[in-house]
Structure formats: structure tokens, C-alpha cells
Amino acid sequence: MENATERMMTNNNEKLQRDPVKTVILASMMGTAIEFFDFYAYGTASAAYFPKVFFPQMTPLLATLLSLLTFGVAFVARPVGSFVFGHFGDRLGRKKTLVVSLLVMGVATVAIGFIPGYQSIGVSGALLLCLCRFVQGIGLGGEWSGAVLVATENAPADKRALYGAFPEVGAPIGFFICNGLFYFLEKMLTPAQMMSFGWRVPFWASSVLVVIGLYVRHRLQETPLFKLAQERDNTTRSPLKEVFKENWREILKGTFLMGATYAMFFTLTTWSLSFATTALGFSHSEFLLLLMAAIVEFAVLIMSTSVLADKVGRKKVLMTASVALVVFSLVFPYFLEGQHNMVGMLLFLGLGFVVMGTLYGPVGAVLPELFPTKVRYSGAGITYNLAAVVGAAVAPTITTWLIATFGLHYAGMYMFVLAVVSVVAWALTPETKNVDYTK
């Protein structure tokens, strides 16, 4: 049976009609693709180039740790962005807020490509890097939640996980484009040229994606559910105050549901690139090629498990994947033993992205389903970005430190702890598949 919103959008006037599916897919997917293009450009540069560009005066280990810490600056800023953009997204609407968040994120990303290195301006370069990274994080704080709301608030009730996967699949698209660009640059340029200017090209190139994204989003209507909330006078002037007062339990649950997913994501990408190219003897271009193949698998798993979550429920799919992550976090260090162990690396990336895709796909529906319409932008955004702080801000750095201090077999301990907490959080969270999304 159609729910109340679907009947309303079918029978009411034109202003409550959904956007065309193609527009929804492009508008929600483009922003996430740009987000992850930008983030992976930074992650790749921070692992492979920033230690020598911005921290050449340090020992190699310390330079790598400091470089990876600048990677975490944006994650500290993301909750701030979710407060700001969540407030306006729940008060003024999803469309306007999404356009501004993309613009803030894009300007900061392009600016990173112009920052002089240590040889030109000393430590000021690292400080400017952190500043741009912080501003980028502010924009990112409002990006994901707005994108998934554009998708899920336009979705039929029985396809919310599938529609929620549209912005999620933007992640592997952004990664694939970024990896492909770095791979091409490293094949065309010498190592000295890459260190001099080649690493900057992806940051400049993101400006093209931002322009396309702004154009697509400008064509969006406001989501039908937000219009309906406005008609019913069911919006709030203080969404942040209300979401922390009424939905703090959902914020906590969602943070721990998602935290382990983030830890795994950046262990598979940012940390693995740094470790494979410094400790295992893989070249940058060789490892990027392996990642590109694994990212295709990632995209397939996002879509297929989201369809499954619409059929059997979110909790069954995500609880199974969380238990699998507990196991994976204990065994993956054994795949990485030995120099240039290609079989082990293929197992690490292949199995890792199966679990990662299963975890990441359905959450595009789950986190918004935890919150009512009037605080959904704030609630989903705060939850997602707090999970980023818990799971990803320090994951590459902690993993590097664990290996340096205790050895390779301890590399998964941080992810293991978060995975166990995620299993407990899922045990305490009811199924969200059949919630009334109109309330």
C-alpha cells in the first residue's frame, strides 16, 4: 500500500512532485563523487608526497605521522559543518544548503593545490594546509547528509535503500577518477615532477567537477518531504537544540554503527597506500592500479547490498557485515606479511572491499531513517560526521603507530574495537526499513 507521502505526491499539486530519477541520481551522486575525489586526492598526497613537501625537516616516520594528522584535521571540522549546514538544511531546505556546502568544499580543495611547500615558506605551508583542510571539512560536514536526503526523500517507500545508494556509489566513482588521474600522472611525469607540481593537478582538476555539480544541483527542486513538512508547519527554528534534546540516543547509536565503517574505509585506502609503498615495496602506480580494480568491486557491493537491504531489512545485512569486520580486523595483517606479497595484497583489498561495500551501501538509508523530517538533515549529518571523527580522523595515524610500536599483527586493533562496538550498537537498534518517513 502506498504510504501517505506517496499518495500526497501523486494527488497533490505539482510542487510536491518528485524530481526525475535521473536528476536525483546525478545531484546526489555528483556531490559525493566530488567529496571522495577531493578526500582521496588529499589522502594520496598526504601519504605519498606531503611528508617531503611540507615536512622535509623531520625523520621519515615523524613526517608521515604529521602528514597523516593533517588528513585528520577535516574530520575535526566536519561536525562543525554538520551543525551549520544541518541547521540551515532543516530550516531553509535541502537544495540551497547542498549548493553552498559544495561551493565551500570546492574552493578549499582547489586552494590546497596552490599552497607553497616548506622550501618556499617554511612551516607556514603546513599551517595553510591545515587551514584549507579545516574549511574543506566544514563543507564536507553538510555534504553527505544533504545528498542522501535528496535521494531518500524522493524515493518510494520500498526503495529507500536503493535510492540511498546513489550518493554512496559516488564514493567509488570519485575514488576511481582520482586514482586514475594519479596513475596517469605518475606514468607521464618523473618522480621529481610529481613532487614539484604533479601532486597539485588533481586538486586543480576538482574545479571542473565542482562546476558540473553546481549546475546539476541548481536544477533540483526542493525534496517533496521537506515541502510537505513546510505545508504542515512541521519544521523547527532550532533543529540543533531539538535533535540533541529529542534524538541524542539515535545520534549515539548511529555514531557507533558507522564508526567502524569509517575506520575500515581509510585503512583500506589512505593507510594501505602509505604502508604498501613504504614497507612492502609496491610502487605508487602499481598500488593505485590494484586499488582501482578493488573500487569497482566496492561499487558493485554498494548497489547489490542496498537492494538486498530493501528486501530483507537493513539490520540483517549490516549486522552480518559488522561481524565479518570483527573477523577481518584480526586476520588482515597476516595478508600483508612479506615484501611485495601480491597474493596477500589481493586478499586484503578483495575481501576488505566486500565487507566495506556491504557496510557502506545501506547506511545511506539507515542514518536518515533514525530521525524525523524536521531534524533529519541535522541528525543524519551530525551522526555521520561524528562517526568520521571516531573512525577515520586518527585511524591511519593510530595504525601506523601500532605497527611501529607493537608490530604488523596489531595493525587491526583499533578497527577491531570499533567493530565490536558496532555489533553491540546494532544489537540495540531496531529495524528501520518500515519506519514512516513522512513524520
Side-chain angles (χ1 to χ4, degrees), residues 35-36 78 82 90 94 141 143-149 152-153 160-161 163-165 167-168 243 247-262 306 309 314-315 318 322 359-389 422 425-426 429-433 435-437 439:
E35 170 189 348
F36 281 91
R78 286 175 71 150
S82 65
D90 284 324
R94 308 347 186 176
E143 174 57 41
W144 181 87
S145 50
V148 294
L149 294 198
T152 58
E153 288 188 351
R160 280 201 301 264
Y163 274 56
E168 303 293 78
V243 76
N247 302 101
W248 62 269
R249 293 177 183 84
E250 287 75 20
I251 291 174
L252 281 178
K253 285 180 183 178
T255 297
F256 291 116
L257 292 177
M258 186 73 186
T261 304
Y262 253 118
S306 296
R314 287 70 159 124
K315 189 169 182 175
L318 291 168
S322 296
L359 286 169
Y360 191 63
V363 298
V366 170
L367 295 190
E369 286 170 347
L370 294 174
F371 301 93
T373 301
K374 62 182 176 179
V375 295
R376 188 170 290 140
Y377 203 126
S378 299
I382 290 167
T383 301
Y384 184 81
N385 290 299
L386 286 178
V389 174
S422 179
W426 271 116
T429 302
E431 175 60 59
T432 62
K433 177 178 181 290
V435 299
D436 186 349
Y437 214 49
K439 292 183 178 179

Coordinates of all heavy atoms in Angstrom, one line a residue, residues 35-36 78 82 90 94 141 143-149 152-153 160-161 163-165 167-168 243 247-262 306 309 314-315 318 322 359-389 422 425-426 429-433 435-437 439:
E35 N 33.3 14.8 -3.3 CA 33.8 14.7 -1.9 C 34.9 13.7 -1.8 O 36.0 13.9 -1.3 CB 32.6 14.3 -1.0 CG 33.1 14.0 0.4 CD 32.0 13.4 1.3 OE1 30.8 13.4 0.9 OE2 32.3 12.8 2.4
F36 N 34.6 12.5 -2.4 CA 35.6 11.5 -2.2 C 36.8 11.6 -3.2 O 37.9 11.2 -2.9 CB 35.0 10.1 -2.4 CG 34.3 9.7 -1.1 CD1 32.9 10.0 -0.9 CD2 35.0 9.0 -0.1 CE1 32.3 9.7 0.3 CE2 34.3 8.7 1.1 CZ 33.0 9.0 1.3
R78 N 34.4 18.5 10.4 CA 33.2 18.0 9.8 C 32.0 18.1 10.8 O 30.9 18.5 10.3 CB 33.3 16.6 9.3 CG 34.1 16.5 8.1 CD 34.5 15.1 7.6 NE 33.3 14.5 7.1 CZ 33.3 13.5 6.2 NH1 34.4 13.1 5.6 NH2 32.2 13.0 5.8
S82 N 28.5 20.0 10.0 CA 27.1 19.4 10.1 C 26.2 20.2 11.0 O 25.0 20.2 10.8 CB 27.3 17.9 10.7 OG 27.8 17.9 12.0
D90 N 17.6 22.0 7.7 CA 16.3 21.7 8.3 C 15.4 23.0 8.4 O 14.2 22.8 8.5 CB 16.5 21.1 9.7 CG 17.0 19.7 9.7 OD1 16.5 19.0 8.8 OD2 17.8 19.3 10.5
R94 N 16.8 21.5 1.7 CA 17.9 20.7 1.3 C 18.7 21.3 0.2 O 19.9 21.3 0.2 CB 17.5 19.3 0.9 CG 16.6 18.5 1.8 CD 16.3 18.9 3.2 NE 15.5 17.8 3.9 CZ 15.2 17.9 5.2 NH1 15.6 18.9 5.9 NH2 14.5 16.9 5.7
G141 N 31.0 18.6 6.0 CA 30.1 18.3 7.0 C 28.6 18.4 6.6 O 27.8 17.8 7.3
E143 N 27.7 17.9 3.3 CA 27.5 17.3 2.0 C 26.8 16.0 2.0 O 25.8 15.8 1.3 CB 28.9 17.1 1.4 CG 28.9 16.4 0.0 CD 28.0 17.1 -1.0 OE1 28.0 18.3 -1.1 OE2 27.3 16.4 -1.7
W144 N 27.3 15.0 2.8 CA 26.7 13.7 2.7 C 25.2 13.7 3.1 O 24.4 13.1 2.4 CB 27.5 12.7 3.6 CG 27.0 11.3 3.5 CD1 27.4 10.4 2.6 CD2 26.1 10.7 4.4 NE1 26.7 9.2 2.9 CE2 25.9 9.4 4.0 CE3 25.3 11.2 5.5 CZ2 25.0 8.5 4.6 CZ3 24.5 10.3 6.2 CH2 24.3 9.0 5.7
S145 N 24.9 14.3 4.3 CA 23.5 14.2 4.8 C 22.6 14.9 3.8 O 21.5 14.3 3.5 CB 23.4 14.9 6.1 OG 24.0 16.2 6.1
G146 N 23.0 16.0 3.2 CA 22.1 16.6 2.2 C 21.9 15.7 1.0 O 20.8 15.6 0.4
A147 N 23.0 15.1 0.5 CA 22.9 14.2 -0.7 C 22.0 13.0 -0.4 O 21.1 12.7 -1.3 CB 24.3 13.7 -1.0
V148 N 22.1 12.4 0.7 CA 21.2 11.2 1.0 C 19.8 11.6 1.2 O 18.9 10.9 0.9 CB 21.7 10.3 2.2 CG1 23.1 9.7 1.9 CG2 21.8 11.1 3.5
L149 N 19.5 12.8 1.7 CA 18.2 13.3 1.9 C 17.5 13.6 0.5 O 16.4 13.3 0.3 CB 18.1 14.5 2.8 CG 18.5 14.3 4.2 CD1 17.9 15.5 5.1 CD2 18.0 13.0 4.8
T152 N 16.8 9.9 -0.7 CA 15.8 9.1 0.0 C 14.5 9.8 0.2 O 13.4 9.2 0.3 CB 16.3 8.7 1.4 OG1 16.6 9.9 2.2 CG2 17.5 7.8 1.3
E153 N 14.5 11.2 0.3 CA 13.2 11.9 0.4 C 12.5 12.0 -1.0 O 11.4 12.5 -1.0 CB 13.4 13.3 1.0 CG 13.8 13.2 2.5 CD 13.8 14.5 3.2 OE1 13.8 15.6 2.5 OE2 13.9 14.5 4.4
R160 N 14.0 2.9 -0.5 CA 14.8 4.0 0.1 C 16.3 3.5 0.2 O 17.2 4.4 0.0 CB 14.3 4.3 1.5 CG 13.1 5.2 1.5 CD 13.0 5.9 2.9 NE 12.8 5.0 4.0 CZ 11.6 4.6 4.5 NH1 10.5 5.0 3.9 NH2 11.6 3.7 5.5
A161 N 16.6 2.3 0.4 CA 18.0 1.9 0.5 C 18.6 1.9 -0.9 O 19.8 2.3 -1.0 CB 18.1 0.4 1.0
Y163 N 17.7 4.0 -3.4 CA 17.9 5.4 -3.7 C 19.1 6.0 -2.8 O 19.9 6.8 -3.2 CB 16.7 6.2 -3.4 CG 15.7 6.3 -4.6 CD1 15.3 5.1 -5.2 CD2 15.3 7.5 -5.2 CE1 14.4 5.1 -6.3 CE2 14.4 7.5 -6.2 CZ 14.0 6.3 -6.8 OH 13.1 6.4 -7.9
G164 N 19.1 5.5 -1.5 CA 20.2 6.0 -0.7 C 21.6 5.5 -1.1 O 22.6 6.1 -0.7
A165 N 21.6 4.5 -2.0 CA 22.9 4.0 -2.5 C 23.4 4.9 -3.6 O 24.6 4.8 -4.0 CB 22.7 2.6 -3.0
P167 N 24.0 8.3 -3.7 CA 25.2 9.1 -3.2 C 26.3 8.2 -2.7 O 27.5 8.6 -2.8 CB 24.6 9.9 -2.1 CG 23.3 9.3 -1.7 CD 22.8 8.6 -2.9
E168 N 26.0 7.0 -2.2 CA 27.0 6.2 -1.7 C 27.9 5.7 -2.8 O 29.2 5.6 -2.6 CB 26.4 4.9 -1.0 CG 25.5 5.3 0.2 CD 26.2 5.9 1.4 OE1 26.5 7.1 1.3 OE2 26.5 5.2 2.3
V243 N 17.2 18.3 18.1 CA 17.8 16.9 17.8 C 18.6 16.4 18.9 O 18.6 15.2 19.3 CB 18.6 17.0 16.5 CG1 20.0 17.6 16.7 CG2 18.8 15.5 15.9
N247 N 16.6 13.4 20.2 CA 17.2 12.3 19.4 C 18.6 12.0 19.8 O 19.4 11.4 18.9 CB 17.1 12.6 17.9 CG 15.6 12.8 17.5 OD1 15.2 14.0 17.3 ND2 14.9 11.8 17.3
W248 N 19.1 12.3 21.0 CA 20.5 12.1 21.3 C 20.8 10.6 21.3 O 22.0 10.2 21.0 CB 20.8 12.7 22.7 CG 20.1 12.1 23.8 CD1 18.9 12.6 24.3 CD2 20.4 11.0 24.7 NE1 18.5 11.9 25.4 CE2 19.4 10.9 25.6 CE3 21.5 10.2 24.7 CZ2 19.4 9.9 26.6 CZ3 21.5 9.2 25.7 CH2 20.5 9.0 26.6
R249 N 19.9 9.7 21.7 CA 20.1 8.3 21.6 C 20.4 7.8 20.2 O 21.3 7.0 20.0 CB 18.9 7.5 22.2 CG 18.7 7.7 23.7 CD 17.4 7.0 24.1 NE 17.1 7.3 25.5 CZ 16.4 8.3 26.0 NH1 16.0 9.3 25.1 NH2 16.2 8.5 27.3
E250 N 19.6 8.3 19.2 CA 19.9 7.9 17.8 C 21.2 8.4 17.4 O 21.9 7.8 16.6 CB 18.7 8.5 17.0 CG 17.4 7.8 17.1 CD 16.7 8.1 18.4 OE1 17.0 9.2 19.0 OE2 15.8 7.4 18.8
I251 N 21.6 9.6 17.8 CA 23.0 10.2 17.5 C 24.1 9.2 18.0 O 25.0 8.9 17.2 CB 23.2 11.6 18.0 CG1 22.2 12.6 17.3 CG2 24.6 12.0 17.8 CD1 22.3 14.0 17.8
L252 N 24.0 8.8 19.2 CA 25.0 7.9 19.8 C 25.0 6.6 19.0 O 26.0 6.0 18.7 CB 24.7 7.7 21.3 CG 25.1 8.8 22.2 CD1 24.7 8.4 23.6 CD2 26.6 9.0 22.1
K253 N 23.8 6.0 18.8 CA 23.7 4.7 18.1 C 24.3 4.8 16.7 O 25.1 4.0 16.3 CB 22.3 4.2 18.0 CG 21.7 3.7 19.3 CD 20.3 3.2 19.1 CE 19.6 2.8 20.4 NZ 18.2 2.4 20.2
G254 N 23.9 5.8 16.0 CA 24.4 6.0 14.6 C 25.9 6.2 14.5 O 26.5 5.7 13.6
T255 N 26.4 6.9 15.5 CA 27.9 7.2 15.5 C 28.6 5.9 15.6 O 29.6 5.6 14.9 CB 28.2 8.1 16.7 OG1 27.6 9.4 16.5 CG2 29.7 8.3 16.8
F256 N 28.2 5.0 16.5 CA 28.9 3.8 16.7 C 28.5 2.7 15.7 O 29.3 1.8 15.4 CB 28.6 3.2 18.1 CG 29.3 4.1 19.2 CD1 28.5 4.8 20.1 CD2 30.7 4.2 19.2 CE1 29.1 5.6 21.1 CE2 31.3 5.0 20.2 CZ 30.5 5.7 21.1
L257 N 27.4 2.8 15.1 CA 27.0 1.9 13.9 C 28.0 2.2 12.8 O 28.4 1.3 12.1 CB 25.6 2.2 13.4 CG 24.5 1.8 14.4 CD1 23.1 2.2 13.7 CD2 24.5 0.3 14.7
M258 N 28.4 3.5 12.6 CA 29.1 3.9 11.4 C 30.6 4.0 11.6 O 31.4 4.0 10.7 CB 28.6 5.3 10.9 CG 29.1 5.8 9.7 SD 28.5 4.9 8.2 CE 29.5 5.7 6.9
G259 N 31.0 4.1 12.9 CA 32.4 4.4 13.2 C 33.4 3.4 12.7 O 34.4 3.7 12.1
A260 N 33.1 2.1 12.8 CA 33.9 1.1 12.3 C 34.0 1.1 10.8 O 35.1 0.7 10.2 CB 33.5 -0.3 12.8
T261 N 32.9 1.4 10.1 CA 32.9 1.5 8.7 C 34.0 2.5 8.2 O 34.7 2.3 7.3 CB 31.5 1.9 8.2 OG1 30.6 1.0 8.7 CG2 31.5 1.9 6.7
Y262 N 34.0 3.7 8.9 CA 35.0 4.7 8.5 C 36.4 4.3 8.8 O 37.3 4.5 8.0 CB 34.7 6.0 9.3 CG 34.1 7.1 8.4 CD1 32.8 7.6 8.7 CD2 34.8 7.6 7.4 CE1 32.3 8.6 7.9 CE2 34.3 8.6 6.6 CZ 33.0 9.1 6.9 OH 32.5 10.1 6.1
S306 N 22.4 -2.8 -1.1 CA 21.3 -1.9 -0.8 C 20.0 -2.4 -1.3 O 19.0 -2.3 -0.7 CB 21.6 -0.5 -1.5 OG 22.8 0.0 -0.9
A309 N 19.0 -4.9 1.2 CA 18.5 -4.3 2.4 C 17.1 -3.9 2.3 O 16.3 -3.8 3.2 CB 19.4 -3.1 2.8
R314 N 17.5 -3.7 6.8 CA 18.8 -3.2 6.9 C 19.6 -3.9 8.0 O 20.8 -4.2 7.8 CB 18.8 -1.7 7.4 CG 18.3 -0.7 6.3 CD 16.8 -0.9 6.0 NE 16.3 0.3 5.4 CZ 15.7 0.3 4.2 NH1 15.6 -0.8 3.5 NH2 15.1 1.4 3.7
K315 N 19.0 -4.3 9.1 CA 19.7 -4.8 10.2 C 20.4 -6.2 9.9 O 21.5 -6.4 10.3 CB 18.7 -5.0 11.4 CG 19.4 -5.4 12.7 CD 18.5 -5.3 13.9 CE 19.2 -5.6 15.2 NZ 18.3 -5.4 16.4
L318 N 23.5 -5.4 7.7 CA 24.6 -4.7 8.3 C 25.1 -5.4 9.6 O 26.3 -5.2 9.9 CB 24.1 -3.3 8.7 CG 23.9 -2.4 7.4 CD1 23.1 -1.1 7.7 CD2 25.2 -2.1 6.7
S322 N 29.0 -6.4 10.0 CA 29.8 -5.9 11.1 C 30.5 -7.0 11.8 O 31.7 -6.9 12.3 CB 28.8 -5.2 12.1 OG 28.3 -4.1 11.6
L359 N 28.9 -2.8 4.2 CA 28.7 -1.9 5.3 C 28.2 -0.5 4.8 O 27.3 0.1 5.4 CB 29.9 -1.7 6.1 CG 30.4 -2.8 7.0 CD1 31.8 -2.6 7.5 CD2 29.4 -2.9 8.2
Y360 N 28.8 0.0 3.7 CA 28.6 1.4 3.3 C 27.3 1.6 2.6 O 26.7 2.7 2.7 CB 29.8 1.8 2.5 CG 29.9 3.3 2.2 CD1 30.0 4.2 3.3 CD2 29.8 3.8 1.0 CE1 30.1 5.5 3.1 CE2 29.9 5.1 0.7 CZ 30.0 6.0 1.8 OH 30.1 7.4 1.6
G361 N 26.9 0.6 1.8 CA 25.7 0.9 0.9 C 24.5 1.2 1.7 O 23.9 2.3 1.5
P362 N 24.0 0.3 2.5 CA 22.7 0.6 3.2 C 22.6 1.7 4.2 O 21.5 2.2 4.5 CB 22.4 -0.8 3.9 CG 23.2 -1.8 3.1 CD 24.4 -1.1 2.8
V363 N 23.8 2.2 4.7 CA 23.7 3.3 5.7 C 23.2 4.6 5.1 O 22.7 5.5 5.8 CB 25.1 3.5 6.3 CG1 25.6 2.3 7.1 CG2 26.1 4.0 5.3
G364 N 23.2 4.7 3.7 CA 22.6 5.9 3.1 C 21.1 6.0 3.4 O 20.5 7.1 3.4
A365 N 20.4 4.9 3.7 CA 19.1 4.9 4.2 C 18.9 4.8 5.7 O 18.1 5.5 6.3 CB 18.3 3.7 3.6
V366 N 19.8 4.1 6.3 CA 19.7 3.8 7.8 C 19.8 5.1 8.6 O 18.9 5.4 9.4 CB 20.7 2.8 8.3 CG1 20.7 2.7 9.8 CG2 20.4 1.4 7.7
L367 N 20.8 5.9 8.4 CA 21.0 7.0 9.3 C 19.9 8.1 9.1 O 19.4 8.6 10.1 CB 22.4 7.7 9.0 CG 23.6 6.8 9.3 CD1 24.9 7.7 9.2 CD2 23.5 6.2 10.7
P368 N 19.4 8.4 7.9 CA 18.3 9.3 7.8 C 17.0 8.7 8.4 O 16.2 9.5 9.0 CB 18.1 9.5 6.3 CG 19.4 9.3 5.7 CD 20.0 8.2 6.6
E369 N 16.9 7.4 8.4 CA 15.7 6.8 8.9 C 15.6 6.8 10.4 O 14.5 6.6 11.0 CB 15.6 5.3 8.5 CG 15.2 5.2 7.0 CD 15.4 3.8 6.4 OE1 16.0 2.9 7.1 OE2 14.9 3.5 5.3
L370 N 16.7 7.1 11.1 CA 16.7 7.3 12.5 C 16.1 8.5 13.0 O 15.7 8.7 14.2 CB 18.2 7.2 13.1 CG 18.9 5.9 12.9 CD1 20.4 6.1 13.3 CD2 18.3 4.8 13.7
F371 N 15.8 9.5 12.1 CA 15.4 10.9 12.5 C 14.2 11.3 11.8 O 13.9 10.9 10.6 CB 16.5 11.9 12.3 CG 17.8 11.5 13.0 CD1 18.8 10.8 12.3 CD2 18.0 11.9 14.3 CE1 20.0 10.5 13.0 CE2 19.2 11.6 14.9 CZ 20.2 10.9 14.3
P372 N 13.3 12.1 12.5 CA 12.1 12.7 11.8 C 12.5 13.8 10.8 O 13.6 14.3 10.9 CB 11.3 13.3 12.9 CG 12.3 13.6 14.0 CD 13.4 12.5 13.9
T373 N 11.6 14.1 9.9 CA 11.9 15.1 8.8 C 12.4 16.4 9.3 O 13.4 17.0 8.7 CB 10.6 15.3 8.0 OG1 10.2 14.1 7.4 CG2 10.9 16.2 6.8
K374 N 11.9 16.9 10.4 CA 12.2 18.3 10.8 C 13.6 18.4 11.3 O 14.2 19.5 11.4 CB 11.2 18.8 11.8 CG 11.1 18.0 13.1 CD 10.1 18.6 14.0 CE 9.9 17.8 15.3 NZ 8.8 18.4 16.1
V375 N 14.3 17.3 11.7 CA 15.7 17.4 12.2 C 16.5 16.4 11.4 O 17.6 16.0 11.9 CB 15.8 17.1 13.7 CG1 15.1 18.3 14.5 CG2 15.2 15.8 14.1
R376 N 16.1 15.9 10.3 CA 16.7 14.8 9.6 C 18.1 15.2 9.0 O 19.1 14.5 9.1 CB 15.9 14.2 8.5 CG 16.4 12.9 7.8 CD 15.4 12.3 6.9 NE 14.3 11.8 7.7 CZ 13.0 11.8 7.3 NH1 12.7 12.5 6.2 NH2 12.1 11.3 8.1
Y377 N 18.2 16.4 8.5 CA 19.4 16.9 7.9 C 20.5 17.0 9.1 O 21.6 16.6 9.0 CB 19.2 18.3 7.3 CG 20.2 18.7 6.2 CD1 19.9 19.0 4.9 CD2 21.6 18.7 6.5 CE1 20.8 19.4 4.0 CE2 22.5 19.0 5.5 CZ 22.1 19.4 4.3 OH 23.1 19.7 3.3
S378 N 20.1 17.6 10.2 CA 21.0 17.8 11.3 C 21.3 16.4 11.9 O 22.5 16.2 12.1 CB 20.3 18.7 12.4 OG 20.0 19.9 11.9
G379 N 20.4 15.6 12.2 CA 20.6 14.3 12.8 C 21.5 13.4 12.0 O 22.5 12.9 12.5
A380 N 21.2 13.2 10.7 CA 22.0 12.3 9.9 C 23.4 12.9 9.7 O 24.4 12.1 9.7 CB 21.3 12.2 8.5
G381 N 23.5 14.2 9.5 CA 24.8 14.8 9.3 C 25.7 14.8 10.5 O 26.9 14.4 10.4
I382 N 25.2 15.1 11.7 CA 25.9 15.0 12.9 C 26.4 13.6 13.2 O 27.6 13.4 13.5 CB 25.1 15.6 14.1 CG1 24.9 17.1 14.0 CG2 25.8 15.3 15.5 CD1 23.8 17.6 14.9
T383 N 25.5 12.6 13.0 CA 25.8 11.2 13.3 C 26.9 10.8 12.3 O 27.9 10.2 12.8 CB 24.6 10.4 13.1 OG1 23.6 10.8 14.0 CG2 24.9 8.9 13.3
Y384 N 26.8 11.1 11.1 CA 27.8 10.6 10.1 C 29.1 11.2 10.3 O 30.2 10.5 10.2 CB 27.2 11.0 8.7 CG 28.1 10.6 7.5 CD1 28.0 9.3 7.0 CD2 29.0 11.5 6.9 CE1 28.7 8.9 5.9 CE2 29.7 11.1 5.8 CZ 29.6 9.8 5.3 OH 30.3 9.4 4.2
N385 N 29.2 12.5 10.7 CA 30.4 13.2 10.9 C 31.1 12.9 12.2 O 32.3 12.9 12.3 CB 30.3 14.7 10.6 CG 30.0 15.0 9.2 OD1 30.8 14.7 8.3 ND2 28.8 15.5 8.9
L386 N 30.3 12.6 13.2 CA 30.9 12.1 14.5 C 31.5 10.8 14.3 O 32.6 10.5 14.8 CB 29.8 12.1 15.6 CG 29.4 13.4 16.2 CD1 28.3 13.2 17.2 CD2 30.6 14.2 16.8
A387 N 30.9 9.9 13.5 CA 31.4 8.6 13.1 C 32.8 8.8 12.4 O 33.7 8.0 12.6 CB 30.4 7.8 12.3
A388 N 32.8 9.8 11.6 CA 34.1 10.1 10.9 C 35.2 10.4 11.8 O 36.4 10.0 11.6 CB 33.9 11.2 9.8
V389 N 34.9 11.2 12.8 CA 35.9 11.6 13.8 C 36.4 10.4 14.6 O 37.6 10.1 14.8 CB 35.3 12.6 14.8 CG1 36.3 12.9 16.0 CG2 35.0 13.9 14.1
S422 N 30.4 -1.7 17.2 CA 29.3 -1.6 16.1 C 28.3 -2.7 16.2 O 27.1 -2.5 16.1 CB 30.0 -1.6 14.8 OG 29.0 -1.5 13.7
A425 N 26.1 -2.0 19.0 CA 25.1 -0.9 18.7 C 24.0 -1.4 17.8 O 22.8 -1.1 18.0 CB 25.9 0.2 18.0
W426 N 24.3 -2.3 16.9 CA 23.3 -2.9 16.0 C 22.3 -3.8 16.8 O 21.1 -3.8 16.5 CB 23.9 -3.8 14.9 CG 24.2 -2.9 13.7 CD1 25.4 -2.7 13.1 CD2 23.2 -2.3 12.9 NE1 25.3 -1.8 12.0 CE2 23.9 -1.6 11.8 CE3 21.8 -2.1 12.9 CZ2 23.3 -0.8 10.9 CZ3 21.2 -1.4 12.0 CH2 21.9 -0.7 11.0
T429 N 19.7 -1.6 18.2 CA 19.0 -0.7 17.3 C 17.9 -1.5 16.6 O 18.2 -2.6 16.0 CB 20.0 -0.1 16.2 OG1 21.0 0.6 16.9 CG2 19.2 0.8 15.2
P430 N 16.6 -1.0 16.6 CA 15.6 -1.8 15.9 C 15.7 -1.6 14.3 O 16.4 -0.7 13.8 CB 14.3 -1.1 16.4 CG 14.7 0.3 16.8 CD 16.2 0.1 17.3
E431 N 15.0 -2.5 13.6 CA 15.0 -2.4 12.2 C 14.3 -1.1 11.7 O 13.3 -0.7 12.3 CB 14.2 -3.6 11.6 CG 14.0 -3.6 10.1 CD 15.3 -3.5 9.3 OE1 16.0 -4.5 9.5 OE2 15.5 -2.6 8.6
T432 N 14.9 -0.4 10.7 CA 14.4 0.9 10.3 C 13.7 0.8 8.9 O 13.2 1.8 8.5 CB 15.5 1.9 10.2 OG1 16.5 1.5 9.2 CG2 16.2 2.1 11.5
K433 N 13.6 -0.4 8.3 CA 13.1 -0.5 7.0 C 11.7 0.0 6.8 O 11.3 0.6 5.8 CB 13.1 -2.0 6.6 CG 12.5 -2.3 5.2 CD 12.7 -3.8 4.9 CE 12.2 -4.1 3.5 NZ 10.7 -4.1 3.5
V435 N 10.0 2.2 8.9 CA 9.6 3.5 9.6 C 8.8 4.4 8.7 O 8.9 4.3 7.4 CB 10.8 4.2 10.1 CG1 11.6 3.4 11.1 CG2 11.7 4.7 9.0
D436 N 7.9 5.2 9.3 CA 7.1 6.2 8.5 C 8.0 7.4 8.2 O 8.2 8.2 9.1 CB 5.9 6.5 9.3 CG 5.0 7.4 8.5 OD1 5.4 7.9 7.4 OD2 3.8 7.7 8.9
Y437 N 8.5 7.5 7.0 CA 9.5 8.5 6.7 C 8.8 9.9 6.6 O 9.5 10.9 6.4 CB 10.1 8.2 5.3 CG 11.5 8.6 5.1 CD1 12.5 8.3 6.1 CD2 12.0 9.2 4.0 CE1 13.8 8.7 5.9 CE2 13.3 9.6 3.8 CZ 14.2 9.3 4.8 OH 15.5 9.7 4.6
K439 N 7.1 11.4 8.9 CA 6.9 12.0 10.2 C 8.2 12.7 10.6 O 9.3 12.4 10.1 CB 6.6 11.0 11.3 CG 5.2 10.4 11.1 CD 4.8 9.4 12.2 CE 3.4 8.9 12.0 NZ 3.1 7.9 13.1

